[in-house]
Amino acid sequence: MEQLNIEIGGVIENTFDYTLTPAQLDKQLSERMESVKRGEIKPTHELSMLGYALDFIDFAQQNVNIAINFDEDNLVHLCSILGLIKNSFAQNPPPNDIMASYVKAAAGFFGVMIIKNLGGNWVETSAGMSVSVNGTTAFITNRIAGILSGADENENAITEIYGYLKTQSGAANAE
């Protein structure tokens, strides 16, 4: 059996206050992107993932008429939206670049939801952007890709991931 070697980079320190509303985060992101354009700061993976997350919120509202935010109770909506996308892709598979954009947007949203509610940080890995919570790394990008491609993943798998990370964070014990 072939060994699976995943390289995990350093934890990316959060520079956004994820307790803010999506509209407030969007404003902060826009301001930082202007700073990037002016050469004052360098682009980061955190900027990209937050941008993808906010795009996913817009997608959900415009395409499936579901208003979502990063609160934990929106996890059920995320599962539902992923199921709708997966079913649509099963009927009409998109080109790889389109699939990748959906994966990035959904992973960005899920990652920000995790960071906001459970703590943690983004981590760059050879398997894509991941989230680390209290020393546990969740490879959310490839899990979302598995869900959307229909490759042996159920959209409710993210609920299991979230639950496990919640236990790791200590938040489950605080309730």
Side-chain angles (χ1 to χ4, degrees), residues 91-106:
Q91 295 170 12
N92 188 17
N96 287 343
D97 59 332
I98 300 297
M99 174 68 86
S101 66
Y102 279 90
V103 169
K104 289 175 188 174

Side-chain angles (χ1 to χ4, degrees), residues 30 88 117 170:
S30 294
S88 171
N117 295 292

Side-chain angles (χ1 to χ4, degrees), residues 10-71:
V11 169
I12 299 169
E13 293 300 320
N14 295 328
T15 62
F16 286 92
D17 177 359
Y18 290 104
T19 63
L20 298 175
T21 67
Q24 292 168 318
L25 285 167
D26 189 38
K27 183 175 186 275
Q28 273 192 358
L29 179 63
S30 294
E31 291 167 357
R32 293 218 192 146
M33 292 308 291
E34 286 300 317
S35 293
V36 168
K37 287 180 187 175
R38 291 190 302 267
E40 297 168 355
I41 62 172
K42 292 184 178 186
T44 66
H45 289 295
E46 183 188 26
L47 292 174
S48 298
M49 295 310 287
L50 179 56
Y52 296 139
L54 294 168
D55 287 346
F56 191 79
I57 289 174
D58 289 340
F59 167 83
Q61 180 65 53
Q62 294 174 16
N63 293 285
V64 293
N65 201 30
I66 298 176
I68 57 174
N69 59 42
F70 301 117
D71 293 340

